[in-house]
Amino acid sequence: MTYELYYWDGIPGRGEFVRLALEQAGADYVDVVRSDGGMARMMALMKNKTAGFVPFAPPFLKDGDILVSHAANILLYLGEKLGLAPRDEAGRIEANGLQLSITDFVVEIHDTHHPIGVSLYYEDQRDEALRRAENFIEERLPKFLGYFEKQLVRNSEGQIHAVGDMLTYVDLSLFHLVEGLRYAFPKAMTAAEPGYPLLVALNAQVRELPRIKAYLASERRLAFNEEGIFRHYPELDRA
Amino acid sequence: MTYELYYWDGIPGRGEFVRLALEQAGADYVDVVRSDGGMARMMALMKNKTAGFVPFAPPFLKDGDILVSHAANILLYLGEKLGLAPRDEAGRIEANGLQLSITDFVVEIHDTHHPIGVSLYYEDQRDEALRRAENFIEERLPKFLGYFEKQLVRNSEGQIHAVGDMLTYVDLSLFHLVEGLRYAFPKAMTAAEPGYPLLVALNAQVRELPRIKAYLASERRLAFNEEGIFRHYPELDRA
């Protein structure tokens, strides 16, 4: 069965955390909205008035009759099937907890450019964004990066992994977090990275995985831009 | 085995979503931080430098050697054990997705009074809070309440439930959402509630469950206040 990933076209966004897992596993999937008639299919699912469950927002995944919403929930669902989740229950629960901390971090990253409302343009909340981004770079960025770094320190023996002794979807998501932060806040990240050597090494390690490397070089990988979560507004960045 | 719930004392907060499930199931649990020496025990777990996994923040649950972080992850873990999760896989995935939409909503509710940074006092981000709360009441509150109401409409036959035909932890969380919103935004909710009859009816139905009723009348239930997620600042509220 082909997995159907539903997510907006044009941005990596929250869908990217799922794409990376599907790509690393070499899974059979279709990025629905990027295929012919895909946008209409996504809208039809989201406006369904009779089905039992409709997702609040993309991304969501369809696997036959199973409909899974939220990146963390999708990764929890796919993790075992794709061989990208720990084999033991405690590890799977831990992986989901770490992924939910990534989710929390992603909200805060997004809100640096949208602190007042998602319906407003960035330009209409720029003053508040300047203040929020300053607080983010001073306090939240080191808090989250420090948390994930410590998790890698506590866990890793030899190979660098977030959970257990194998590659999991959490590692792929941490790779993407660092990528996105480098795009959005190059000055802050250049200054910060020496403090997080395992996160930096994990990023480099994931980038060299053959399937990830091929994916990153393909047209399936969308570039970061100022429509997504990780946006580069130079005025929000600082060392 | 007694479940150990770790959460800050003094506020219902995110811990409350877990407490409601434990209470409704009549589970054997201890609210660790509210017991003697509990705060020190929570801090010791959070500062552990050798354990494989340390939660980013409370709430978390300990069940023997299993450590579960994040309210949604805890409810996913407890749901089946406590008989508060759907019996089929598709239903459990759907319940987790709905709970994650509740998580998303809770972040937005919290950020009405903290749009710039959690480390700053409300008074130091009041201007931004006024703007964010206005956007929240006009756009986000109806979007989320409308989403959950539609889910109840699509799903419910006779008894009102979010998923399937039984009471789940999602119903308990939706009860608490309405309670918290009524506390924080009484004018906005008085105006809004007629538009969400099933959510209102679900709230009333959950409140009358014998164990929930007893819990709400007990000292175990903490009152809402201006330290938690749902805060009543009259200047942020409007019809």
Side-chain angles (χ1 to χ4, degrees):
Chain A
M1 181 78 77
T2 303
Y3 294 115
E4 295 181 356
L5 172 64
Y6 291 80
Y7 194 65
W8 309 114
D9 192 10
I11 56 170
R14 288 173 170 83
E16 192 65 13
F17 297 101
V18 181
R19 281 193 201 100
L20 285 166
L22 291 164
E23 292 283 346
Q24 171 57 20
D28 183 15
Y29 81 99
V30 56
D31 206 335
V32 176
V33 177
R34 299 185 71 196
S35 64
D36 282 348
M39 189 66 176
R41 285 174 62 200
M42 183 163 88
M43 287 299 121
L45 269 170
M46 293 190 66
K47 292 183 189 304
N48 192 327
K49 293 205 165 103
T50 54
F53 174 65
V54 168
F56 184 82
F60 51 91
L61 182 93
K62 237 176 143 301
D63 179 17
D65 289 337
I66 303 263
L67 184 58
V68 194
S69 75
H70 289 80
N73 196 20
I74 297 169
L75 291 168
L76 181 69
Y77 176 76
L78 287 177
E80 284 188 73
K81 297 179 201 296
L82 302 183
L84 287 171
R87 281 170 290 261
D88 61 307
E89 188 195 16
R92 285 193 296 274
I93 290 168
E94 184 181 328
N96 190 37
L98 287 166
Q99 193 67 39
L100 289 170
S101 284
I102 292 170
T103 301
D104 293 339
F105 194 18
V106 164
V107 172
E108 296 199 23
I109 293 164
H110 171 272
D111 283 4
T112 58
H113 51 76
H114 274 73
I116 300 301
V118 288
S119 62
L120 303 172
Y121 289 112
Y122 164 66
E123 288 70 21
D124 294 329
Q125 51 194 309
R126 194 170 162 275
D127 289 346
E128 294 91 344
L130 285 165
R131 216 181 149 201
R132 176 138 188 172
E134 183 184 344
N135 181 278
F136 173 81
I137 288 172
E138 278 181 16
E139 303 195 14
R140 305 304 287 173
L141 184 71
K143 185 167 171 74
F144 276 99
L145 293 182
Y147 173 74
F148 294 121
E149 179 75 11
K150 276 186 206 145
Q151 173 66 21
L152 294 177
V153 170
R154 277 191 305 266
N155 182 65
S156 295
E157 302 174 11
Q159 282 289 86
I160 302 162
H161 293 307
V163 189
D165 59 358
M166 61 178 277
L167 181 80
T168 67
Y169 62 79
V170 179
D171 299 323
L172 302 175
S173 292
L174 288 175
F175 158 79
H176 187 62
L177 259 190
V178 170
E179 291 294 288
L181 288 167
R182 283 176 177 165
Y183 174 81
F185 302 103
K187 289 183 190 167
M189 284 300 281
T190 298
E193 287 195 23
Y196 311 101
L198 292 190
L199 266 177
V200 171
L202 172 67
N203 174 277
Q205 186 176 298
V206 169
R207 180 196 314 282
E208 292 303 318
L209 293 169
R211 281 177 171 153
I212 295 295
K213 195 170 182 174
Y215 165 63
L216 296 177
S218 76
E219 291 192 349
R220 301 191 300 285
R221 169 77 166 185
L222 291 158
F224 291 111
N225 59 57
E226 281 55 67
E227 302 292 326
I229 295 162
F230 299 98
R231 303 190 189 186
H232 180 51
Y233 295 124
E235 62 273 25
L236 301 187
D237 186 23
R238 50 188 255 177
Chain B
M1 182 76 78
T2 303
Y3 294 115
E4 295 181 355
L5 172 64
Y6 290 81
Y7 194 66
W8 309 113
D9 191 10
I11 56 170
R14 287 174 171 82
E16 192 65 13
F17 296 102
V18 181
R19 282 195 200 97
L20 285 167
L22 291 164
E23 291 283 345
Q24 170 57 20
D28 183 16
Y29 82 100
V30 55
D31 206 334
V32 176
V33 177
R34 299 185 70 196
S35 64
D36 283 349
M39 188 67 176
R41 286 173 62 200
M42 183 163 87
M43 286 299 121
L45 269 170
M46 292 188 67
K47 291 181 190 306
N48 193 327
K49 293 203 166 111
T50 53
F53 175 64
V54 168
F56 184 83
F60 50 92
L61 182 93
K62 237 177 142 302
D63 178 18
D65 290 337
I66 303 263
L67 185 57
V68 195
S69 76
H70 289 79
N73 197 19
I74 298 169
L75 291 168
L76 182 68
Y77 176 75
L78 287 177
E80 282 187 75
K81 297 180 201 296
L82 301 183
L84 287 170
R87 280 170 291 260
D88 61 307
E89 187 194 17
R92 286 194 296 274
I93 291 167
E94 183 181 327
N96 190 38
L98 287 166
Q99 193 67 39
L100 288 169
S101 284
I102 292 171
T103 300
D104 294 339
F105 193 19
V106 164
V107 172
E108 297 200 22
I109 293 165
H110 171 273
D111 284 5
T112 56
H113 49 78
H114 274 74
I116 301 301
V118 289
S119 62
L120 303 171
Y121 291 113
Y122 165 64
E123 289 71 20
D124 294 329
Q125 52 193 309
R126 193 169 163 276
D127 289 347
E128 294 91 343
L130 285 166
R131 215 181 150 202
R132 175 137 188 174
E134 183 184 344
N135 182 277
F136 173 82
I137 289 172
E138 278 181 16
E139 303 193 15
R140 304 305 285 173
L141 183 71
K143 183 166 172 75
F144 276 99
L145 293 182
Y147 173 73
F148 294 121
E149 179 76 11
K150 276 187 206 145
Q151 173 65 22
L152 295 177
V153 169
R154 278 191 303 265
N155 182 63
S156 296
E157 301 175 10
Q159 283 289 87
I160 301 161
H161 294 305
V163 190
D165 59 359
M166 62 177 278
L167 182 79
T168 68
Y169 63 79
V170 179
D171 298 324
L172 302 176
S173 293
L174 288 174
F175 158 79
H176 187 62
L177 259 189
V178 171
E179 290 295 287
L181 288 167
R182 283 175 177 166
Y183 174 80
F185 301 104
K187 287 183 191 167
M189 284 300 281
T190 298
E193 286 195 24
Y196 311 102
L198 291 190
L199 267 178
V200 171
L202 172 67
N203 174 276
Q205 187 177 297
V206 169
R207 180 196 312 281
E208 292 303 318
L209 294 169
R211 282 177 170 154
I212 295 296
K213 194 171 184 174
Y215 166 63
L216 296 177
S218 77
E219 290 191 350
R220 300 191 301 286
R221 169 77 166 185
L222 290 157
F224 291 111
N225 59 58
E226 279 58 66
E227 303 291 326
I229 296 162
F230 299 98
R231 304 189 188 186
H232 180 51
Y233 294 123
E235 62 272 25
L236 300 186
D237 186 24
R238 50 187 256 178

